[in-house]
Amino acid sequence: MRLIAERCLDKADREQLNAEQSAERVIGLTHLRLDRLRIGSMDGLELCNGATHVHLQHNLLPEIESLEFFNSLQFLVLANNQLEVLDGLAHLSTLRYLDVSANRIAEAPVAKLPPNLKALDLYDNPCCARAGYRAALVAGLAQLFALDGVDVTPRERRAVAAGGEGGEGGEGGEGGEG
């Protein structure tokens, strides 16, 4: 909790608060900026489960954990960590943006992702080179409008729905896995 307070509360405010007040402020945070801290675990984040925006990029996280009670989370950045699988996300029904780029993710099954995602960044992961990567995600995530920084066009969505590749989106878009 101390790390979160140091990183997310204004220093002048922190100095004026007692321990109980500081804890209340941390618990009430909606934006957590915990990037570039060499964090190796997400344990303790559940204290801030009212957060809508969580930034954990450039850390040492091997897995996604402790998000079970984040019922308001809309924006999650886990880029540049050590993630290998996309677990612990599917239940995040309010999540709209997910960045898990530059990790070690070998597969991106749609079932492991929140169905209401609007933007998803997975680039610089081994899964991007899999046949059908883009088509599977476009087909499986009906609200997705951007994948890896490339817009999902109505034309691409129609082509994927018809069983084609869509012709949009550039690299990694051949074949059918996801």
Side-chain angles (χ1 to χ4, degrees), residues 12-44:
D13 287 344
R14 270 196 337 262
E15 292 172 354
Q16 302 299 316
L17 301 173
N18 64 34
E20 185 177 327
Q21 293 168 324
S22 180
E24 286 176 14
R25 286 272 181 92
V26 166
I27 290 168
L29 287 169
T30 59
H31 288 66
L32 298 178
R33 288 201 151 283
L34 300 170
D35 55 291
R36 295 172 173 82
L37 293 173
R38 302 187 60 76
I39 295 171
S41 170
M42 293 172 69
D43 282 344

PDB file of all heavy atoms in Angstrom, residues 12-44:
ATOM      1  N   ALA A  12       2.552  16.403  -1.306  1.00  0.00           N
ATOM      2  CA  ALA A  12       2.065  17.383  -0.319  1.00  0.00           C
ATOM      3  C   ALA A  12       0.844  16.828   0.421  1.00  0.00           C
ATOM      4  O   ALA A  12       0.727  16.988   1.639  1.00  0.00           O
ATOM      5  CB  ALA A  12       1.727  18.697  -0.999  1.00  0.00           C
ATOM      6  N   ASP A  13      -0.054  16.180  -0.304  1.00  0.00           N
ATOM      7  CA  ASP A  13      -1.223  15.570   0.333  1.00  0.00           C
ATOM      8  C   ASP A  13      -0.807  14.456   1.279  1.00  0.00           C
ATOM      9  O   ASP A  13      -1.327  14.347   2.387  1.00  0.00           O
ATOM     10  CB  ASP A  13      -2.190  15.005  -0.714  1.00  0.00           C
ATOM     11  CG  ASP A  13      -2.956  16.081  -1.449  1.00  0.00           C
ATOM     12  OD1 ASP A  13      -2.983  17.234  -0.985  1.00  0.00           O
ATOM     13  OD2 ASP A  13      -3.525  15.758  -2.508  1.00  0.00           O
ATOM     14  N   ARG A  14       0.122  13.605   0.828  1.00  0.00           N
ATOM     15  CA  ARG A  14       0.576  12.476   1.647  1.00  0.00           C
ATOM     16  C   ARG A  14       1.117  12.940   2.981  1.00  0.00           C
ATOM     17  O   ARG A  14       0.880  12.320   4.013  1.00  0.00           O
ATOM     18  CB  ARG A  14       1.677  11.700   0.916  1.00  0.00           C
ATOM     19  CG  ARG A  14       1.193  10.598   0.066  1.00  0.00           C
ATOM     20  CD  ARG A  14       2.292   9.624  -0.340  1.00  0.00           C
ATOM     21  NE  ARG A  14       3.648  10.089  -0.320  1.00  0.00           N
ATOM     22  CZ  ARG A  14       4.326  10.530  -1.387  1.00  0.00           C
ATOM     23  NH1 ARG A  14       3.760  10.555  -2.561  1.00  0.00           N
ATOM     24  NH2 ARG A  14       5.570  10.925  -1.273  1.00  0.00           N
ATOM     25  N   GLU A  15       1.845  14.040   2.974  1.00  0.00           N
ATOM     26  CA  GLU A  15       2.462  14.535   4.198  1.00  0.00           C
ATOM     27  C   GLU A  15       1.432  15.053   5.195  1.00  0.00           C
ATOM     28  O   GLU A  15       1.707  15.107   6.394  1.00  0.00           O
ATOM     29  CB  GLU A  15       3.486  15.627   3.865  1.00  0.00           C
ATOM     30  CG  GLU A  15       4.692  15.063   3.131  1.00  0.00           C
ATOM     31  CD  GLU A  15       5.635  16.141   2.610  1.00  0.00           C
ATOM     32  OE1 GLU A  15       5.314  17.338   2.719  1.00  0.00           O
ATOM     33  OE2 GLU A  15       6.698  15.753   2.096  1.00  0.00           O
ATOM     34  N   GLN A  16       0.263  15.414   4.717  1.00  0.00           N
ATOM     35  CA  GLN A  16      -0.796  15.933   5.583  1.00  0.00           C
ATOM     36  C   GLN A  16      -1.719  14.842   6.120  1.00  0.00           C
ATOM     37  O   GLN A  16      -2.531  15.107   7.000  1.00  0.00           O
ATOM     38  CB  GLN A  16      -1.646  16.960   4.816  1.00  0.00           C
ATOM     39  CG  GLN A  16      -0.874  18.132   4.266  1.00  0.00           C
ATOM     40  CD  GLN A  16      -0.196  18.949   5.357  1.00  0.00           C
ATOM     41  OE1 GLN A  16      -0.796  19.228   6.386  1.00  0.00           O
ATOM     42  NE2 GLN A  16       1.057  19.311   5.148  1.00  0.00           N
ATOM     43  N   LEU A  17      -1.604  13.629   5.605  1.00  0.00           N
ATOM     44  CA  LEU A  17      -2.526  12.557   5.964  1.00  0.00           C
ATOM     45  C   LEU A  17      -1.942  11.628   7.019  1.00  0.00           C
ATOM     46  O   LEU A  17      -0.748  11.320   6.993  1.00  0.00           O
ATOM     47  CB  LEU A  17      -2.848  11.712   4.721  1.00  0.00           C
ATOM     48  CG  LEU A  17      -3.467  12.427   3.530  1.00  0.00           C
ATOM     49  CD1 LEU A  17      -3.551  11.473   2.342  1.00  0.00           C
ATOM     50  CD2 LEU A  17      -4.825  12.980   3.871  1.00  0.00           C
ATOM     51  N   ASN A  18      -2.802  11.167   7.922  1.00  0.00           N
ATOM     52  CA  ASN A  18      -2.359  10.121   8.834  1.00  0.00           C
ATOM     53  C   ASN A  18      -2.486   8.782   8.117  1.00  0.00           C
ATOM     54  O   ASN A  18      -2.962   8.717   6.983  1.00  0.00           O
ATOM     55  CB  ASN A  18      -3.136  10.158  10.161  1.00  0.00           C
ATOM     56  CG  ASN A  18      -4.621   9.866   9.993  1.00  0.00           C
ATOM     57  OD1 ASN A  18      -5.025   9.069   9.144  1.00  0.00           O
ATOM     58  ND2 ASN A  18      -5.453  10.507  10.825  1.00  0.00           N
ATOM     59  N   ALA A  19      -2.092   7.696   8.758  1.00  0.00           N
ATOM     60  CA  ALA A  19      -2.069   6.387   8.107  1.00  0.00           C
ATOM     61  C   ALA A  19      -3.465   5.957   7.651  1.00  0.00           C
ATOM     62  O   ALA A  19      -3.632   5.426   6.551  1.00  0.00           O
ATOM     63  CB  ALA A  19      -1.476   5.338   9.045  1.00  0.00           C
ATOM     64  N   GLU A  20      -4.465   6.191   8.462  1.00  0.00           N
ATOM     65  CA  GLU A  20      -5.830   5.801   8.101  1.00  0.00           C
ATOM     66  C   GLU A  20      -6.334   6.608   6.902  1.00  0.00           C
ATOM     67  O   GLU A  20      -6.936   6.056   5.971  1.00  0.00           O
ATOM     68  CB  GLU A  20      -6.770   5.998   9.290  1.00  0.00           C
ATOM     69  CG  GLU A  20      -8.170   5.505   9.029  1.00  0.00           C
ATOM     70  CD  GLU A  20      -9.062   5.644  10.248  1.00  0.00           C
ATOM     71  OE1 GLU A  20      -8.572   5.517  11.385  1.00  0.00           O
ATOM     72  OE2 GLU A  20     -10.268   5.867  10.043  1.00  0.00           O
ATOM     73  N   GLN A  21      -6.082   7.901   6.911  1.00  0.00           N
ATOM     74  CA  GLN A  21      -6.501   8.748   5.790  1.00  0.00           C
ATOM     75  C   GLN A  21      -5.775   8.361   4.505  1.00  0.00           C
ATOM     76  O   GLN A  21      -6.362   8.331   3.427  1.00  0.00           O
ATOM     77  CB  GLN A  21      -6.244  10.224   6.108  1.00  0.00           C
ATOM     78  CG  GLN A  21      -7.105  10.770   7.212  1.00  0.00           C
ATOM     79  CD  GLN A  21      -6.615  12.131   7.689  1.00  0.00           C
ATOM     80  OE1 GLN A  21      -5.406  12.406   7.738  1.00  0.00           O
ATOM     81  NE2 GLN A  21      -7.561  12.999   8.045  1.00  0.00           N
ATOM     82  N   SER A  22      -4.502   8.056   4.638  1.00  0.00           N
ATOM     83  CA  SER A  22      -3.718   7.639   3.477  1.00  0.00           C
ATOM     84  C   SER A  22      -4.276   6.341   2.895  1.00  0.00           C
ATOM     85  O   SER A  22      -4.432   6.208   1.679  1.00  0.00           O
ATOM     86  CB  SER A  22      -2.256   7.457   3.874  1.00  0.00           C
ATOM     87  OG  SER A  22      -1.487   7.059   2.778  1.00  0.00           O
ATOM     88  N   ALA A  23      -4.598   5.395   3.769  1.00  0.00           N
ATOM     89  CA  ALA A  23      -5.173   4.129   3.317  1.00  0.00           C
ATOM     90  C   ALA A  23      -6.507   4.358   2.611  1.00  0.00           C
ATOM     91  O   ALA A  23      -6.775   3.760   1.564  1.00  0.00           O
ATOM     92  CB  ALA A  23      -5.359   3.183   4.506  1.00  0.00           C
ATOM     93  N   GLU A  24      -7.338   5.240   3.149  1.00  0.00           N
ATOM     94  CA  GLU A  24      -8.626   5.545   2.513  1.00  0.00           C
ATOM     95  C   GLU A  24      -8.425   6.149   1.126  1.00  0.00           C
ATOM     96  O   GLU A  24      -9.148   5.806   0.188  1.00  0.00           O
ATOM     97  CB  GLU A  24      -9.437   6.499   3.387  1.00  0.00           C
ATOM     98  CG  GLU A  24     -10.031   5.840   4.606  1.00  0.00           C
ATOM     99  CD  GLU A  24     -10.759   6.818   5.515  1.00  0.00           C
ATOM    100  OE1 GLU A  24     -11.041   7.960   5.088  1.00  0.00           O
ATOM    101  OE2 GLU A  24     -11.052   6.431   6.660  1.00  0.00           O
ATOM    102  N   ARG A  25      -7.455   7.036   1.002  1.00  0.00           N
ATOM    103  CA  ARG A  25      -7.164   7.639  -0.305  1.00  0.00           C
ATOM    104  C   ARG A  25      -6.693   6.595  -1.311  1.00  0.00           C
ATOM    105  O   ARG A  25      -7.103   6.600  -2.456  1.00  0.00           O
ATOM    106  CB  ARG A  25      -6.100   8.726  -0.181  1.00  0.00           C
ATOM    107  CG  ARG A  25      -6.573   9.993   0.442  1.00  0.00           C
ATOM    108  CD  ARG A  25      -7.144  10.943  -0.621  1.00  0.00           C
ATOM    109  NE  ARG A  25      -7.573  12.163  -0.021  1.00  0.00           N
ATOM    110  CZ  ARG A  25      -6.821  13.250   0.111  1.00  0.00           C
ATOM    111  NH1 ARG A  25      -5.587  13.254  -0.342  1.00  0.00           N
ATOM    112  NH2 ARG A  25      -7.306  14.325   0.692  1.00  0.00           N
ATOM    113  N   VAL A  26      -5.809   5.703  -0.878  1.00  0.00           N
ATOM    114  CA  VAL A  26      -5.297   4.655  -1.761  1.00  0.00           C
ATOM    115  C   VAL A  26      -6.445   3.756  -2.214  1.00  0.00           C
ATOM    116  O   VAL A  26      -6.575   3.454  -3.403  1.00  0.00           O
ATOM    117  CB  VAL A  26      -4.184   3.830  -1.076  1.00  0.00           C
ATOM    118  CG1 VAL A  26      -3.888   2.552  -1.838  1.00  0.00           C
ATOM    119  CG2 VAL A  26      -2.919   4.676  -0.951  1.00  0.00           C
ATOM    120  N   ILE A  27      -7.282   3.348  -1.291  1.00  0.00           N
ATOM    121  CA  ILE A  27      -8.410   2.478  -1.623  1.00  0.00           C
ATOM    122  C   ILE A  27      -9.359   3.158  -2.605  1.00  0.00           C
ATOM    123  O   ILE A  27      -9.936   2.514  -3.467  1.00  0.00           O
ATOM    124  CB  ILE A  27      -9.143   2.027  -0.332  1.00  0.00           C
ATOM    125  CG1 ILE A  27      -8.245   1.070   0.445  1.00  0.00           C
ATOM    126  CG2 ILE A  27     -10.492   1.404  -0.650  1.00  0.00           C
ATOM    127  CD1 ILE A  27      -8.717   0.771   1.850  1.00  0.00           C
ATOM    128  N   GLY A  28      -9.477   4.469  -2.535  1.00  0.00           N
ATOM    129  CA  GLY A  28     -10.383   5.217  -3.402  1.00  0.00           C
ATOM    130  C   GLY A  28      -9.800   5.645  -4.737  1.00  0.00           C
ATOM    131  O   GLY A  28     -10.496   6.278  -5.540  1.00  0.00           O
ATOM    132  N   LEU A  29      -8.559   5.298  -5.015  1.00  0.00           N
ATOM    133  CA  LEU A  29      -7.936   5.712  -6.272  1.00  0.00           C
ATOM    134  C   LEU A  29      -8.642   5.117  -7.486  1.00  0.00           C
ATOM    135  O   LEU A  29      -9.026   3.952  -7.469  1.00  0.00           O
ATOM    136  CB  LEU A  29      -6.464   5.280  -6.311  1.00  0.00           C
ATOM    137  CG  LEU A  29      -5.504   6.049  -5.423  1.00  0.00           C
ATOM    138  CD1 LEU A  29      -4.155   5.347  -5.361  1.00  0.00           C
ATOM    139  CD2 LEU A  29      -5.342   7.485  -5.907  1.00  0.00           C
ATOM    140  N   THR A  30      -8.783   5.926  -8.527  1.00  0.00           N
ATOM    141  CA  THR A  30      -9.352   5.412  -9.778  1.00  0.00           C
ATOM    142  C   THR A  30      -8.276   5.214 -10.840  1.00  0.00           C
ATOM    143  O   THR A  30      -8.491   4.492 -11.800  1.00  0.00           O
ATOM    144  CB  THR A  30     -10.430   6.362 -10.334  1.00  0.00           C
ATOM    145  OG1 THR A  30      -9.846   7.648 -10.557  1.00  0.00           O
ATOM    146  CG2 THR A  30     -11.614   6.461  -9.385  1.00  0.00           C
ATOM    147  N   HIS A  31      -7.136   5.855 -10.681  1.00  0.00           N
ATOM    148  CA  HIS A  31      -6.029   5.728 -11.638  1.00  0.00           C
ATOM    149  C   HIS A  31      -4.778   5.281 -10.887  1.00  0.00           C
ATOM    150  O   HIS A  31      -4.312   5.993  -9.994  1.00  0.00           O
ATOM    151  CB  HIS A  31      -5.746   7.072 -12.328  1.00  0.00           C
ATOM    152  CG  HIS A  31      -6.809   7.464 -13.308  1.00  0.00           C
ATOM    153  ND1 HIS A  31      -8.096   7.762 -12.934  1.00  0.00           N
ATOM    154  CD2 HIS A  31      -6.758   7.596 -14.642  1.00  0.00           C
ATOM    155  CE1 HIS A  31      -8.798   8.074 -14.006  1.00  0.00           C
ATOM    156  NE2 HIS A  31      -8.017   7.973 -15.061  1.00  0.00           N
ATOM    157  N   LEU A  32      -4.261   4.118 -11.267  1.00  0.00           N
ATOM    158  CA  LEU A  32      -3.035   3.607 -10.652  1.00  0.00           C
ATOM    159  C   LEU A  32      -1.915   3.660 -11.676  1.00  0.00           C
ATOM    160  O   LEU A  32      -2.013   3.075 -12.742  1.00  0.00           O
ATOM    161  CB  LEU A  32      -3.217   2.146 -10.209  1.00  0.00           C
ATOM    162  CG  LEU A  32      -4.277   1.867  -9.162  1.00  0.00           C
ATOM    163  CD1 LEU A  32      -4.343   0.372  -8.879  1.00  0.00           C
ATOM    164  CD2 LEU A  32      -3.989   2.624  -7.884  1.00  0.00           C
ATOM    165  N   ARG A  33      -0.849   4.353 -11.354  1.00  0.00           N
ATOM    166  CA  ARG A  33       0.322   4.433 -12.222  1.00  0.00           C
ATOM    167  C   ARG A  33       1.471   3.750 -11.501  1.00  0.00           C
ATOM    168  O   ARG A  33       2.138   4.356 -10.661  1.00  0.00           O
ATOM    169  CB  ARG A  33       0.668   5.889 -12.524  1.00  0.00           C
ATOM    170  CG  ARG A  33      -0.306   6.543 -13.451  1.00  0.00           C
ATOM    171  CD  ARG A  33       0.344   7.759 -14.122  1.00  0.00           C
ATOM    172  NE  ARG A  33      -0.194   8.023 -15.423  1.00  0.00           N
ATOM    173  CZ  ARG A  33       0.088   7.352 -16.532  1.00  0.00           C
ATOM    174  NH1 ARG A  33       0.911   6.356 -16.506  1.00  0.00           N
ATOM    175  NH2 ARG A  33      -0.454   7.677 -17.678  1.00  0.00           N
ATOM    176  N   LEU A  34       1.669   2.481 -11.833  1.00  0.00           N
ATOM    177  CA  LEU A  34       2.700   1.681 -11.189  1.00  0.00           C
ATOM    178  C   LEU A  34       3.667   1.112 -12.225  1.00  0.00           C
ATOM    179  O   LEU A  34       4.117  -0.020 -12.118  1.00  0.00           O
ATOM    180  CB  LEU A  34       2.038   0.551 -10.375  1.00  0.00           C
ATOM    181  CG  LEU A  34       1.089   1.038  -9.274  1.00  0.00           C
ATOM    182  CD1 LEU A  34       0.311  -0.115  -8.684  1.00  0.00           C
ATOM    183  CD2 LEU A  34       1.857   1.791  -8.199  1.00  0.00           C
ATOM    184  N   ASP A  35       3.970   1.917 -13.212  1.00  0.00           N
ATOM    185  CA  ASP A  35       4.868   1.485 -14.274  1.00  0.00           C
ATOM    186  C   ASP A  35       6.326   1.720 -13.884  1.00  0.00           C
ATOM    187  O   ASP A  35       6.639   2.550 -13.044  1.00  0.00           O
ATOM    188  CB  ASP A  35       4.537   2.230 -15.578  1.00  0.00           C
ATOM    189  CG  ASP A  35       4.547   3.728 -15.415  1.00  0.00           C
ATOM    190  OD1 ASP A  35       3.652   4.275 -14.723  1.00  0.00           O
ATOM    191  OD2 ASP A  35       5.447   4.383 -15.963  1.00  0.00           O
ATOM    192  N   ARG A  36       7.199   0.933 -14.504  1.00  0.00           N
ATOM    193  CA  ARG A  36       8.652   1.062 -14.368  1.00  0.00           C
ATOM    194  C   ARG A  36       9.148   0.981 -12.923  1.00  0.00           C
ATOM    195  O   ARG A  36      10.021   1.727 -12.504  1.00  0.00           O
ATOM    196  CB  ARG A  36       9.117   2.375 -15.008  1.00  0.00           C
ATOM    197  CG  ARG A  36       8.887   2.408 -16.494  1.00  0.00           C
ATOM    198  CD  ARG A  36       9.163   3.780 -17.104  1.00  0.00           C
ATOM    199  NE  ARG A  36       9.086   3.744 -18.540  1.00  0.00           N
ATOM    200  CZ  ARG A  36       7.959   3.811 -19.246  1.00  0.00           C
ATOM    201  NH1 ARG A  36       6.809   3.916 -18.647  1.00  0.00           N
ATOM    202  NH2 ARG A  36       7.982   3.764 -20.562  1.00  0.00           N
ATOM    203  N   LEU A  37       8.572   0.045 -12.176  1.00  0.00           N
ATOM    204  CA  LEU A  37       8.963  -0.119 -10.773  1.00  0.00           C
ATOM    205  C   LEU A  37       9.599  -1.483 -10.488  1.00  0.00           C
ATOM    206  O   LEU A  37       9.870  -1.793  -9.341  1.00  0.00           O
ATOM    207  CB  LEU A  37       7.737   0.057  -9.865  1.00  0.00           C
ATOM    208  CG  LEU A  37       7.148   1.456  -9.837  1.00  0.00           C
ATOM    209  CD1 LEU A  37       5.842   1.474  -9.052  1.00  0.00           C
ATOM    210  CD2 LEU A  37       8.133   2.445  -9.231  1.00  0.00           C
ATOM    211  N   ARG A  38       9.782  -2.301 -11.525  1.00  0.00           N
ATOM    212  CA  ARG A  38      10.349  -3.632 -11.393  1.00  0.00           C
ATOM    213  C   ARG A  38       9.473  -4.529 -10.500  1.00  0.00           C
ATOM    214  O   ARG A  38       9.969  -5.398  -9.794  1.00  0.00           O
ATOM    215  CB  ARG A  38      11.796  -3.585 -10.918  1.00  0.00           C
ATOM    216  CG  ARG A  38      12.673  -2.759 -11.865  1.00  0.00           C
ATOM    217  CD  ARG A  38      14.146  -2.808 -11.561  1.00  0.00           C
ATOM    218  NE  ARG A  38      14.747  -4.120 -11.614  1.00  0.00           N
ATOM    219  CZ  ARG A  38      15.052  -4.802 -12.729  1.00  0.00           C
ATOM    220  NH1 ARG A  38      14.810  -4.283 -13.907  1.00  0.00           N
ATOM    221  NH2 ARG A  38      15.620  -5.988 -12.665  1.00  0.00           N
ATOM    222  N   ILE A  39       8.169  -4.299 -10.539  1.00  0.00           N
ATOM    223  CA  ILE A  39       7.211  -5.093  -9.768  1.00  0.00           C
ATOM    224  C   ILE A  39       7.142  -6.501 -10.370  1.00  0.00           C
ATOM    225  O   ILE A  39       7.030  -6.654 -11.575  1.00  0.00           O
ATOM    226  CB  ILE A  39       5.812  -4.436  -9.815  1.00  0.00           C
ATOM    227  CG1 ILE A  39       5.850  -3.071  -9.117  1.00  0.00           C
ATOM    228  CG2 ILE A  39       4.763  -5.330  -9.184  1.00  0.00           C
ATOM    229  CD1 ILE A  39       4.579  -2.272  -9.315  1.00  0.00           C
ATOM    230  N   GLY A  40       7.189  -7.519  -9.499  1.00  0.00           N
ATOM    231  CA  GLY A  40       7.154  -8.896  -9.955  1.00  0.00           C
ATOM    232  C   GLY A  40       5.850  -9.605  -9.650  1.00  0.00           C
ATOM    233  O   GLY A  40       5.692 -10.780  -9.962  1.00  0.00           O
ATOM    234  N   SER A  41       4.898  -8.905  -9.029  1.00  0.00           N
ATOM    235  CA  SER A  41       3.618  -9.512  -8.683  1.00  0.00           C
ATOM    236  C   SER A  41       2.546  -8.435  -8.603  1.00  0.00           C
ATOM    237  O   SER A  41       2.830  -7.283  -8.259  1.00  0.00           O
ATOM    238  CB  SER A  41       3.731 -10.214  -7.326  1.00  0.00           C
ATOM    239  OG  SER A  41       2.470 -10.605  -6.861  1.00  0.00           O
ATOM    240  N   MET A  42       1.312  -8.835  -8.894  1.00  0.00           N
ATOM    241  CA  MET A  42       0.187  -7.906  -8.800  1.00  0.00           C
ATOM    242  C   MET A  42      -0.516  -8.018  -7.450  1.00  0.00           C
ATOM    243  O   MET A  42      -1.540  -7.372  -7.231  1.00  0.00           O
ATOM    244  CB  MET A  42      -0.800  -8.170  -9.944  1.00  0.00           C
ATOM    245  CG  MET A  42      -0.214  -7.828 -11.300  1.00  0.00           C
ATOM    246  SD  MET A  42      -1.236  -8.328 -12.705  1.00  0.00           S
ATOM    247  CE  MET A  42      -2.612  -7.221 -12.570  1.00  0.00           C
ATOM    248  N   ASP A  43       0.031  -8.813  -6.532  1.00  0.00           N
ATOM    249  CA  ASP A  43      -0.553  -8.938  -5.198  1.00  0.00           C
ATOM    250  C   ASP A  43      -0.640  -7.567  -4.538  1.00  0.00           C
ATOM    251  O   ASP A  43       0.279  -6.758  -4.633  1.00  0.00           O
ATOM    252  CB  ASP A  43       0.304  -9.856  -4.317  1.00  0.00           C
ATOM    253  CG  ASP A  43       0.092 -11.318  -4.623  1.00  0.00           C
ATOM    254  OD1 ASP A  43      -0.905 -11.653  -5.286  1.00  0.00           O
ATOM    255  OD2 ASP A  43       0.942 -12.129  -4.206  1.00  0.00           O
ATOM    256  N   GLY A  44      -1.731  -7.316  -3.876  1.00  0.00           N
ATOM    257  CA  GLY A  44      -1.942  -6.047  -3.197  1.00  0.00           C
ATOM    258  C   GLY A  44      -2.781  -5.066  -3.989  1.00  0.00           C
ATOM    259  O   GLY A  44      -3.337  -4.129  -3.431  1.00  0.00           O
TER     260      GLY A  44
END
